[in-house]
Amino acid sequence: MRKRKKKTNILGKSKGNGSFPNSTSGGGSLTGGGKGGVPTPGKKVKKQKSASYTSHKGSSVSKVGKSSEGRSRSHQYTLAQSDILRQAAYAVGRLVEADATGKHGVSLKSLTLGKNVRQKKAVYAVTVETLKYYRVLKSLVDEVFGGDFGGMSEATLCVLVREIVLGDGISRIGRAERLVLEKEEELKRELSNLVEQSGVESVSDMLPQNELMVAAAKRKRTLRVNLAKVSVEEVKNQLMEEFQSVSISEHLPDVIELDPGSDLHSHTLVRSGNVVLQSLASCIPASVLDPEPHWHVIDACAAPGNKTTHLAAIMSHKATGTSDVRGKVFAFDKDTRRLEILKKNVALTGTTSIIEPSCRDFLEADPGEFARVDAILLDPSCSGSGTAVSRMDYLLPNSSQHVSQRGVMHVDERVLSLKQFQISVIQHAMSFPNVKKIVYSTCSIYYEENEGVIADVLEFAKEHGFHVAEVLPSWPRRGLVLQQEERQEDILPAGEARKVLRVDPIEDGTDGFFVAMFVK
């Protein structure tokens, strides 16, 4: 007799408690302290020796045994679902708090796609959908619960309410779920009232629109062909069998563009290292540096390694293979965790014979030790203001305010501090005796970090035999030209500004970037 095949649990098995613990503060409080079976997001939880699941107070919720296999599968499903919702609520809480306070250090991807997030795609999807409708959900929560959240955070309520009124519903597995389900009919009535009062046909018509959101919808998916392994034509031909629109970038010959929304994260080309998912803008710096196969190159701030492996791929392509490359790429990063990520990307792209990772601070590197270095790529820490679309900041409650208030001339203490660091990095690069080419790039839109930095190092560069050279002439958007009255400090002369390039995150369909090059 053939055994009946078990149903596949698309959400996977949860290792922790399925119910939401009581919580009154932001997303971080959803962890319940990480004890008693309630997993702290970002930490792995040891699997229970028995097959029972434990509540946050340590009491047994359900025994799973061979005699109750059907109930076990159902219970595992609801526990997994609740675990996903809990981690999504944690992410939503952290992101909304960071958005309200202006604090940095958290991102949608880091909170939902980290290696210790068990159900990455599901947590990411729930978080995105909750943020997308956050204003609507908050209105529902305020109206129906009236400030009495029953010990739950606002983020928890918004996640659960979304699942009830816009999603697939939730199970009565924990106290938080039961409290929200008691309000189900009231929540649905209030949502209908909101739609009617707004004079629209559906909830989706109530979503706010800003230029970041519009830009995101139009942005093409770009990928860089790893020339160390495969040719552009080979990749293009394979993709043409699977996607409707496949084209080579008019500016960078190793970058392929697909329709917006094209998903390649699980594609064999990506998993094999034949292509790298990378924005068009971030491919420009290595292309501009254009190292020769025999060169020694330093990537000063290398992790996670996309630009590093791009440099190696260019050298390999010029030498018709990695085995013929006589040069080296020294990849510096002082963060050991990020350096490990770089090492994995180097191995994936097949460039281990070219790239030498090193855990060190570039500013402490002795120029005499690297006297043979011909070129240096500088992509130092910056404000990241050009990556608002990639970070999906348009989903956050205050995104419209940030878009309207923060123009290219924005300056604050953090930007000024970053600027001083960026200047020191360029000056240190110019002290390496054999260096003849330096490329400086940021993913910032701010003048201070871009043209302002170049303006402030012009005299130093001249003293060391360097001058600004034109980068990627085919790119139409060049550096900003300001009048002296627009800025108290030095401005970049118009002639020099035309040699550098800018990438606009709204108009150019990719991350906001700045690239300049010094040559000797």
Side-chain angles (χ1 to χ4, degrees):
M1 179 176 172
R2 182 181 298 177
K3 291 184 179 180
R4 187 171 60 182
K5 187 177 182 181
K6 291 183 179 181
K7 293 181 179 179
T8 302
N9 177 1
I10 61 172
L11 294 179
K13 182 178 178 180
S14 170
K15 293 183 180 179
N17 166 38
S19 62
F20 285 79
N22 294 344
S23 172
T24 55
S25 57
S29 59
L30 294 173
T31 65
K35 296 180 181 180
V38 182
T40 301
K43 291 185 178 181
K44 289 187 176 180
V45 179
K46 291 182 179 180
K47 189 174 181 180
Q48 301 288 338
K49 290 183 179 180
S50 66
S52 64
Y53 293 90
T54 310
S55 73
H56 67 283
K57 292 183 179 180
S59 60
S60 177
V61 174
S62 173
K63 285 285 184 179
V64 180
K66 292 182 179 179
S67 60
S68 56
E69 186 176 332
R71 183 160 60 95
S72 166
R73 287 198 300 268
S74 174
H75 193 57
Q76 289 174 16
Y77 179 89
T78 53
L79 284 170
Q81 180 199 40
S82 190
D83 191 39
I84 289 164
L85 299 183
R86 180 172 60 256
Q87 293 192 45
Y90 172 78
V92 169
R94 288 287 307 278
L95 290 166
V96 171
E97 180 185 12
D99 181 55
T101 60
K103 293 180 180 179
H104 304 276
V106 297
S107 69
L108 173 63
K109 291 181 180 179
S110 67
L111 289 170
T112 61
L113 301 177
K115 67 177 183 178
N116 292 327
V117 177
R118 288 179 289 278
Q119 308 294 336
K120 292 178 176 59
K121 288 187 177 181
V123 172
Y124 175 83
V126 172
T127 303
V128 166
E129 290 301 307
T130 302
L131 290 172
K132 185 188 298 184
Y133 291 96
Y134 199 81
R135 291 181 180 85
V136 175
L137 296 169
K138 188 176 185 304
S139 296
L140 289 178
V141 167
D142 291 343
E143 185 66 29
V144 174
F145 290 89
D148 181 11
F149 294 173
M152 291 178 282
S153 69
E154 181 179 273
T156 299
L157 277 174
C158 286
V159 167
L160 293 174
V161 169
R162 193 210 73 85
E163 286 297 303
I164 288 176
V165 300
L166 299 173
D168 297 326
I170 58 177
S171 302
R172 294 179 176 272
I173 193 170
R175 177 176 175 273
E177 290 91 338
R178 291 194 296 271
L179 286 173
V180 176
L181 282 169
E182 289 175 0
K183 305 279 190 179
E184 181 173 3
E185 294 304 318
E186 189 177 352
L187 286 164
K188 290 180 176 178
R189 283 198 304 271
E190 184 57 33
L191 180 60
S192 297
N193 291 337
L194 281 176
V195 172
E196 185 177 348
Q197 291 168 9
S198 300
V200 296
E201 294 184 359
S202 67
V203 182
S204 60
D205 295 328
M206 298 173 65
L207 294 177
Q209 293 290 322
N210 59 54
E211 56 186 351
L212 290 180
M213 191 173 293
V214 174
K218 295 179 179 179
R219 179 169 291 191
K220 292 183 178 181
R221 162 66 72 185
T222 57
L223 52 90
R224 172 174 62 81
V225 177
N226 179 16
L227 297 177
K229 279 192 167 187
V230 68
S231 72
V232 173
E233 284 303 313
E234 287 178 276
V235 172
K236 182 182 177 183
N237 290 338
Q238 181 174 343
L239 291 174
M240 287 180 69
E241 297 178 0
E242 306 173 48
F243 297 91
Q244 289 186 338
S245 176
V246 181
S247 59
I248 299 173
S249 167
E250 62 177 303
H251 301 289
L252 303 179
D254 56 352
V255 174
I256 291 180
E257 300 174 335
L258 304 176
D259 284 334
S262 300
D263 186 9
L264 286 93
H265 286 87
S266 302
H267 200 282
T268 54
L269 285 171
V270 176
R271 289 190 284 110
S272 64
N274 284 347
V275 304
V276 177
L277 296 180
Q278 192 171 350
S279 73
L280 174 67
S282 69
C283 293
I284 295 176
S287 297
V288 168
L289 189 68
D290 194 28
E292 296 299 326
H294 62 279
W295 280 11
H296 282 203
V297 181
I298 290 178
D299 186 349
C301 312
N306 284 348
K307 297 179 185 68
T308 317
T309 56
H310 193 185
L311 291 169
I314 293 171
M315 295 166 72
S316 174
H317 182 63
K318 286 185 175 183
T320 65
T322 56
S323 59
D324 295 326
V325 175
R326 291 180 287 112
K328 286 289 180 184
V329 177
F330 301 101
F332 292 174
D333 205 285
K334 61 181 181 180
D335 187 317
T336 55
R337 181 186 60 84
R338 285 170 54 82
L339 194 69
E340 287 304 312
I341 297 173
L342 179 143
K343 290 178 181 178
K344 291 179 181 178
N345 288 331
V346 169
L348 180 64
T349 55
T351 52
T352 53
S353 63
I354 302 174
I355 297 171
E356 290 189 10
S358 179
C359 186
R360 66 165 73 199
D361 185 341
F362 173 69
L363 288 176
E364 297 179 1
D366 179 8
E369 182 184 350
F370 296 93
R372 288 190 57 193
V373 168
D374 301 275
I376 299 177
L377 177 64
L378 304 173
D379 188 56
S381 297
C382 70
S383 64
S385 53
T387 60
V389 175
S390 295
R391 292 196 311 264
M392 301 175 77
D393 286 359
Y394 53 84
L395 294 174
L396 299 173
N398 295 317
S399 61
S400 297
Q401 179 181 349
H402 294 328
V403 170
S404 61
Q405 289 186 354
R406 292 198 165 190
V408 295
M409 298 307 295
H410 173 78
V411 180
D412 58 27
E413 289 185 8
R414 178 171 178 260
V415 170
L416 291 176
S417 176
L418 286 166
K419 178 186 177 183
Q420 293 307 311
F421 168 71
Q422 292 153 357
I423 289 173
S424 66
V425 167
I426 294 177
Q427 291 177 337
H428 186 57
M430 290 179 177
S431 69
F432 285 69
N434 197 46
V435 166
K436 46 186 166 286
K437 186 182 286 190
I438 299 170
V439 169
Y440 170 77
S441 66
T442 73
C443 55
S444 170
I445 63 171
Y446 299 149
Y447 186 93
E448 290 298 329
E449 297 181 272
N450 299 331
E451 293 91 347
V453 167
I454 304 303
D456 286 356
V457 300
L458 278 180
E459 189 61 34
F460 185 92
K462 184 178 179 180
E463 293 172 357
H464 287 72
F466 287 93
H467 66 274
V468 179
E470 185 177 20
V471 299
L472 201 62
S474 67
W475 191 262
R477 196 178 306 279
R478 313 312 293 184
L480 292 180
V481 177
L482 301 182
Q483 301 302 316
Q484 188 63 60
E485 58 268 19
E486 295 181 75
R487 187 171 182 264
Q488 293 181 353
E489 301 180 48
D490 292 339
I491 60 173
L492 189 63
E496 307 289 11
R498 284 191 287 269
K499 297 176 183 177
V500 304
L501 69 78
R502 270 183 167 268
V503 183
D504 187 282
I506 306 298
E507 300 295 331
D508 295 329
T510 183
D511 290 333
F513 244 76
F514 174 85
V515 183
M517 179 169 63
F518 293 94
V519 298
K520 181 186 283 188

